[in-house]
Amino acid sequence: MFGTEPGFATGVKKNQGAFERAGDGVLFLDEIGDAPVELLGKLLTAIEERQAYRVGVLRRLRSASFDWCLRLMLTSRRAYARLFRADLLHRMGRMYHLPGLAERSEEEFRDLVRQLFRDVAQGLEGEVTVVHPPSEDLVAWMYTERQRLFPGEVRSIRNVLEEAILAVECRGENAIKRQDVDGAVHAVSSRPRSPVEPLPPSERLARYGELVRQGVSDNDTLRNELGYPETPEGRKSFREWKARHRDMIEVEEENE
């Protein structure tokens, strides 16, 4: 975040941090709710006092060293708001809420499906697919069933459309049907995850909540589904993740 100084460890050179690299532009920090609490405190100091420590330095570097004239943009899912330090949250200027699928109108949902279909259709194998966009009736049904079909929000829609297009192409047809969407949902939800590639941090809590709602309570199953390997290190990492997100996890379990 704030860079490193040379010499504090073997082979380490001086590097600019994210704040310096952003210059007078925009620094975008995605899913800040996944950041360690300690980092949020340093972020608050950087915003309010224009001071920070580079790794390997005992004295603070002031704004003259960083020349911060940037805009800071943070994103976090709604559930993570409780993890924010209140003083950091109050330093934010404007806050915008991006509605989930459950809050969107049917017209907004239709526009979203059309855009995602165009993106996916032009990205498969480098060629534009011959499959037609979902019909109006199909999109209306998808909207009605959106919470069942797309638990992963926009990412789920994209994955399901991609699977559905592939299924239709394999049949040599050009129209997506309801069974293609249902089959794609099943394929996406049952797709095995590599035990050596953890689920991205921004997806873990949502996946944990989904599993709890399905009645899964076994720690080994939960750990495997979140992508932590079946090793002492993997089990330790999973325990530490649960400890860091205890408040959110308890909310999910209480809701269940």
Side-chain angles (χ1 to χ4, degrees):
M1 187 71 72
F2 305 113
T4 59
E5 284 290 302
F8 85 92
T10 303
V12 173
K13 300 179 180 179
K14 180 177 180 178
N15 288 306
Q16 290 185 325
F19 272 76
E20 289 179 274
R21 294 197 303 272
D24 59 357
V26 177
L27 177 58
F28 176 63
L29 302 179
D30 194 20
E31 290 298 348
I32 192 65
D34 284 328
V37 175
E38 296 81 4
L39 178 59
L40 297 182
K42 295 175 182 177
L43 187 60
L44 174 64
T45 301
I47 294 171
E48 191 168 60
E49 301 179 18
R50 301 296 179 97
Q51 299 183 47
Y53 289 99
R54 281 204 186 102
V55 176
V57 178
L58 296 180
R59 61 183 178 83
R60 283 184 176 178
L61 300 175
R62 297 183 178 275
S63 57
S65 301
F66 286 102
D67 191 23
W68 294 333
C69 300
L70 54 79
R71 291 187 176 187
L72 188 63
M73 182 182 297
L74 311 178
T75 67
S76 176
R77 283 172 293 168
R78 179 172 54 189
Y80 279 139
R82 289 177 55 192
L83 297 181
F84 273 38
R85 290 175 53 129
D87 44 5
L88 174 59
L89 194 60
H90 294 323
R91 295 305 184 277
M92 298 297 100
R94 298 179 182 177
M95 290 186 284
Y96 300 93
H97 168 65
L98 296 180
L101 294 182
E103 303 169 78
R104 292 182 182 267
S105 68
E106 185 169 353
E107 187 57 38
E108 289 176 321
F109 182 82
R110 287 178 184 274
D111 291 341
L112 189 58
V113 170
R114 292 189 193 105
Q115 180 61 56
L116 290 171
F117 180 86
R118 287 194 294 269
D119 293 346
V120 172
Q122 295 175 3
L124 294 173
E125 305 297 332
E127 299 179 359
V128 178
T129 182
V130 298
V131 178
H132 297 159
S135 67
E136 293 294 311
D137 288 344
L138 180 58
V139 176
W141 171 77
M142 290 165 62
Y143 176 75
T144 302
E145 299 286 323
R146 62 193 183 281
Q147 289 183 277
R148 175 180 69 87
L149 297 173
F150 312 116
E153 296 288 317
V154 174
R155 186 178 288 106
S156 285
I157 299 178
R158 184 183 182 90
N159 292 340
V160 166
L161 287 174
E162 187 171 86
E163 290 285 342
I165 290 173
L166 291 172
V168 173
E169 287 181 336
C170 287
R171 293 201 308 267
E173 299 178 2
N174 56 22
I176 300 176
K177 303 174 182 177
R178 285 191 185 186
Q179 54 264 38
D180 296 317
V181 175
D182 273 324
V185 170
H186 177 74
V188 170
S189 62
S190 61
R191 185 181 295 160
R193 298 186 181 274
S194 169
V196 297
E197 296 182 5
L199 198 67
S202 60
E203 297 182 25
R204 289 177 195 157
L205 193 59
R207 179 58 177 158
Y208 186 95
E210 178 186 346
L211 292 167
V212 169
R213 288 189 291 275
Q214 294 173 1
V216 178
S217 58
D218 178 66
N219 267 331
D220 287 338
T221 302
L222 292 168
R223 175 175 47 76
N224 289 331
E225 284 290 331
L226 266 61
Y228 290 98
E230 196 170 345
T231 62
E233 292 79 10
R235 289 191 287 272
K236 178 182 177 182
S237 296
F238 177 59
R239 289 196 301 271
E240 291 174 347
W241 177 85
K242 288 185 68 176
R244 288 197 304 272
H245 299 84
R246 181 176 291 109
D247 288 347
M248 295 296 97
I249 288 172
E250 288 174 355
V251 168
E252 293 287 355
E253 292 173 345
E254 287 172 4
N255 290 339
E256 174 57 20

